[in-house]
Amino acid sequence: MSTRAYGRTSWPWAAAAVLLFWQTWFLFHVYATEHAAVRWDCDSEGCGTNDLAGPAIPFAVISALLAAVLAAPYLGLGGAGVGALLAAFGLLVRREDDHALLAAYGIAALGVALVLAGAVRAVRRGPTAEAEGGPPRPRGRPAVPALLRLLVAPATLLAAVPGTLAVTGLVHGALDGPRWIMMLGLNATVALLVALGAARLNHRPGVAQGPVPDETAAHAPARLNALTTRGTAFVFDLTVRPARGAPYRIEVEHPLDLQDIRVHGAALVRHDPRRPWLVDLPSHPSAAELTAARAAARTEDPEPAPRVWSPPPGAPVLLLTGILTAVLVTLLARA
């Protein structure tokens, strides 16, 4: 997968990297401005402190490493360089500890070297392909009514609660709350973004999702528009003609051509009328149903059918999280 395709499908990882880069700067800045005033409590087991500036350096190093890993597909070595430069900037701004000066310049030099190395490597590699498997497919339209139904589903609300609490803690802590709330909310948000990015990484908008749940499944004829391969699977570009609703185009992957679709140019598909991106091919349809579907699919459509996109994983949850977070932050600001 090219870097550009990676960026489209896993932008949550990029957002997580940005938050971690900012946390790296913030922790180094806290260390540089407050470390001299840290009060340590020591006993027979060691020393400790409740001040954030005390453990800021190890926390910042961990944050920088995680940020560099998440940003590597976008920035390569430059991602680590950006983290180092942010760390150096945090040490230099309003510093009160002179011992941080040498470390700041050393980290800045390392960051510049990594950024330059990443830029040279990117120039030598040249432009990457848009995506694996040839030219990009035609763009389609999202199934907006179906997404709105998912937005108000109880499962969506339940899944949006952790994200709402995490992002609200981050925003409220950064604006008006204690720093520990901001740090807790930031790292919880990063964890949720990493999980979301992992779920979206292999998502293809124009390819149907499946299998279709038996309780909502309906059969419909489909006409074959084009046939390609992706790895060892067939990719059938189909125009589905549901019993209710307008026809639409979508791609369906299957390891075998059990219905001889490439010969007859038609298929019988199972789909979810409420969620049109859920489409699959029944393995053993009856001969009568298959014959009727082939006959129906051969009829001419009055106009080209629009292509339907399958929504990326977590899209309704992400939208509802944003809405709930805005409401909760506003209420906390007025309290």
Side-chain angles (χ1 to χ4, degrees), residues 312-325:
V317 175
L318 194 64
L319 179 58
L320 186 58
T321 297
I323 296 173
L324 294 178
T325 299

PDB file of all heavy atoms in Angstrom, residues 312-325:
ATOM      1  N   PRO A 312     -16.533   3.595   6.272  1.00  0.00           N
ATOM      2  CA  PRO A 312     -15.378   3.092   7.014  1.00  0.00           C
ATOM      3  C   PRO A 312     -15.779   2.682   8.412  1.00  0.00           C
ATOM      4  O   PRO A 312     -16.720   3.250   8.990  1.00  0.00           O
ATOM      5  CB  PRO A 312     -14.412   4.284   7.026  1.00  0.00           C
ATOM      6  CG  PRO A 312     -15.278   5.473   6.815  1.00  0.00           C
ATOM      7  CD  PRO A 312     -16.416   5.023   5.956  1.00  0.00           C
ATOM      8  N   PRO A 313     -15.105   1.697   8.996  1.00  0.00           N
ATOM      9  CA  PRO A 313     -15.444   1.270  10.357  1.00  0.00           C
ATOM     10  C   PRO A 313     -15.364   2.436  11.335  1.00  0.00           C
ATOM     11  O   PRO A 313     -14.435   3.235  11.317  1.00  0.00           O
ATOM     12  CB  PRO A 313     -14.361   0.222  10.670  1.00  0.00           C
ATOM     13  CG  PRO A 313     -13.942  -0.301   9.331  1.00  0.00           C
ATOM     14  CD  PRO A 313     -14.038   0.870   8.396  1.00  0.00           C
ATOM     15  N   GLY A 314     -16.387   2.532  12.167  1.00  0.00           N
ATOM     16  CA  GLY A 314     -16.406   3.558  13.201  1.00  0.00           C
ATOM     17  C   GLY A 314     -16.903   4.911  12.766  1.00  0.00           C
ATOM     18  O   GLY A 314     -16.892   5.842  13.578  1.00  0.00           O
ATOM     19  N   ALA A 315     -17.356   5.064  11.518  1.00  0.00           N
ATOM     20  CA  ALA A 315     -17.789   6.386  11.056  1.00  0.00           C
ATOM     21  C   ALA A 315     -18.964   6.942  11.873  1.00  0.00           C
ATOM     22  O   ALA A 315     -18.910   8.096  12.329  1.00  0.00           O
ATOM     23  CB  ALA A 315     -18.137   6.329   9.569  1.00  0.00           C
ATOM     24  N   PRO A 316     -20.057   6.186  12.100  1.00  0.00           N
ATOM     25  CA  PRO A 316     -21.146   6.743  12.925  1.00  0.00           C
ATOM     26  C   PRO A 316     -20.696   7.031  14.355  1.00  0.00           C
ATOM     27  O   PRO A 316     -21.091   8.035  14.940  1.00  0.00           O
ATOM     28  CB  PRO A 316     -22.223   5.649  12.873  1.00  0.00           C
ATOM     29  CG  PRO A 316     -21.893   4.819  11.687  1.00  0.00           C
ATOM     30  CD  PRO A 316     -20.406   4.853  11.575  1.00  0.00           C
ATOM     31  N   VAL A 317     -19.855   6.142  14.912  1.00  0.00           N
ATOM     32  CA  VAL A 317     -19.367   6.352  16.279  1.00  0.00           C
ATOM     33  C   VAL A 317     -18.528   7.619  16.356  1.00  0.00           C
ATOM     34  O   VAL A 317     -18.634   8.403  17.306  1.00  0.00           O
ATOM     35  CB  VAL A 317     -18.564   5.131  16.750  1.00  0.00           C
ATOM     36  CG1 VAL A 317     -17.944   5.385  18.120  1.00  0.00           C
ATOM     37  CG2 VAL A 317     -19.453   3.892  16.787  1.00  0.00           C
ATOM     38  N   LEU A 318     -17.694   7.840  15.338  1.00  0.00           N
ATOM     39  CA  LEU A 318     -16.835   9.022  15.318  1.00  0.00           C
ATOM     40  C   LEU A 318     -17.667  10.296  15.242  1.00  0.00           C
ATOM     41  O   LEU A 318     -17.392  11.283  15.951  1.00  0.00           O
ATOM     42  CB  LEU A 318     -15.891   8.934  14.122  1.00  0.00           C
ATOM     43  CG  LEU A 318     -14.703   9.885  14.096  1.00  0.00           C
ATOM     44  CD1 LEU A 318     -13.762   9.588  15.247  1.00  0.00           C
ATOM     45  CD2 LEU A 318     -13.967   9.778  12.772  1.00  0.00           C
ATOM     46  N   LEU A 319     -18.689  10.311  14.401  1.00  0.00           N
ATOM     47  CA  LEU A 319     -19.540  11.492  14.277  1.00  0.00           C
ATOM     48  C   LEU A 319     -20.300  11.761  15.564  1.00  0.00           C
ATOM     49  O   LEU A 319     -20.365  12.916  16.037  1.00  0.00           O
ATOM     50  CB  LEU A 319     -20.516  11.303  13.111  1.00  0.00           C
ATOM     51  CG  LEU A 319     -21.502  12.450  12.850  1.00  0.00           C
ATOM     52  CD1 LEU A 319     -20.758  13.744  12.585  1.00  0.00           C
ATOM     53  CD2 LEU A 319     -22.415  12.102  11.684  1.00  0.00           C
ATOM     54  N   LEU A 320     -20.862  10.721  16.161  1.00  0.00           N
ATOM     55  CA  LEU A 320     -21.604  10.907  17.409  1.00  0.00           C
ATOM     56  C   LEU A 320     -20.673  11.334  18.538  1.00  0.00           C
ATOM     57  O   LEU A 320     -21.054  12.152  19.392  1.00  0.00           O
ATOM     58  CB  LEU A 320     -22.321   9.611  17.780  1.00  0.00           C
ATOM     59  CG  LEU A 320     -23.255   9.678  18.992  1.00  0.00           C
ATOM     60  CD1 LEU A 320     -24.333  10.730  18.789  1.00  0.00           C
ATOM     61  CD2 LEU A 320     -23.878   8.316  19.262  1.00  0.00           C
ATOM     62  N   THR A 321     -19.448  10.826  18.559  1.00  0.00           N
ATOM     63  CA  THR A 321     -18.473  11.245  19.566  1.00  0.00           C
ATOM     64  C   THR A 321     -18.195  12.739  19.459  1.00  0.00           C
ATOM     65  O   THR A 321     -18.116  13.443  20.471  1.00  0.00           O
ATOM     66  CB  THR A 321     -17.164  10.453  19.408  1.00  0.00           C
ATOM     67  OG1 THR A 321     -17.415   9.069  19.649  1.00  0.00           O
ATOM     68  CG2 THR A 321     -16.104  10.956  20.365  1.00  0.00           C
ATOM     69  N   GLY A 322     -18.037  13.243  18.235  1.00  0.00           N
ATOM     70  CA  GLY A 322     -17.810  14.667  18.048  1.00  0.00           C
ATOM     71  C   GLY A 322     -18.971  15.509  18.543  1.00  0.00           C
ATOM     72  O   GLY A 322     -18.772  16.546  19.185  1.00  0.00           O
ATOM     73  N   ILE A 323     -20.197  15.059  18.265  1.00  0.00           N
ATOM     74  CA  ILE A 323     -21.377  15.809  18.698  1.00  0.00           C
ATOM     75  C   ILE A 323     -21.479  15.826  20.222  1.00  0.00           C
ATOM     76  O   ILE A 323     -21.678  16.883  20.846  1.00  0.00           O
ATOM     77  CB  ILE A 323     -22.645  15.204  18.069  1.00  0.00           C
ATOM     78  CG1 ILE A 323     -22.612  15.354  16.544  1.00  0.00           C
ATOM     79  CG2 ILE A 323     -23.900  15.854  18.643  1.00  0.00           C
ATOM     80  CD1 ILE A 323     -23.744  14.636  15.829  1.00  0.00           C
ATOM     81  N   LEU A 324     -21.349  14.650  20.831  1.00  0.00           N
ATOM     82  CA  LEU A 324     -21.466  14.571  22.288  1.00  0.00           C
ATOM     83  C   LEU A 324     -20.340  15.333  22.984  1.00  0.00           C
ATOM     84  O   LEU A 324     -20.555  15.962  24.028  1.00  0.00           O
ATOM     85  CB  LEU A 324     -21.459  13.100  22.716  1.00  0.00           C
ATOM     86  CG  LEU A 324     -22.649  12.255  22.267  1.00  0.00           C
ATOM     87  CD1 LEU A 324     -22.489  10.813  22.727  1.00  0.00           C
ATOM     88  CD2 LEU A 324     -23.962  12.833  22.792  1.00  0.00           C
ATOM     89  N   THR A 325     -19.136  15.291  22.413  1.00  0.00           N
ATOM     90  CA  THR A 325     -18.016  16.017  23.012  1.00  0.00           C
ATOM     91  C   THR A 325     -18.261  17.519  22.982  1.00  0.00           C
ATOM     92  O   THR A 325     -17.999  18.229  23.966  1.00  0.00           O
ATOM     93  CB  THR A 325     -16.714  15.685  22.270  1.00  0.00           C
ATOM     94  OG1 THR A 325     -16.444  14.282  22.386  1.00  0.00           O
ATOM     95  CG2 THR A 325     -15.551  16.469  22.845  1.00  0.00           C
TER      96      THR A 325
END
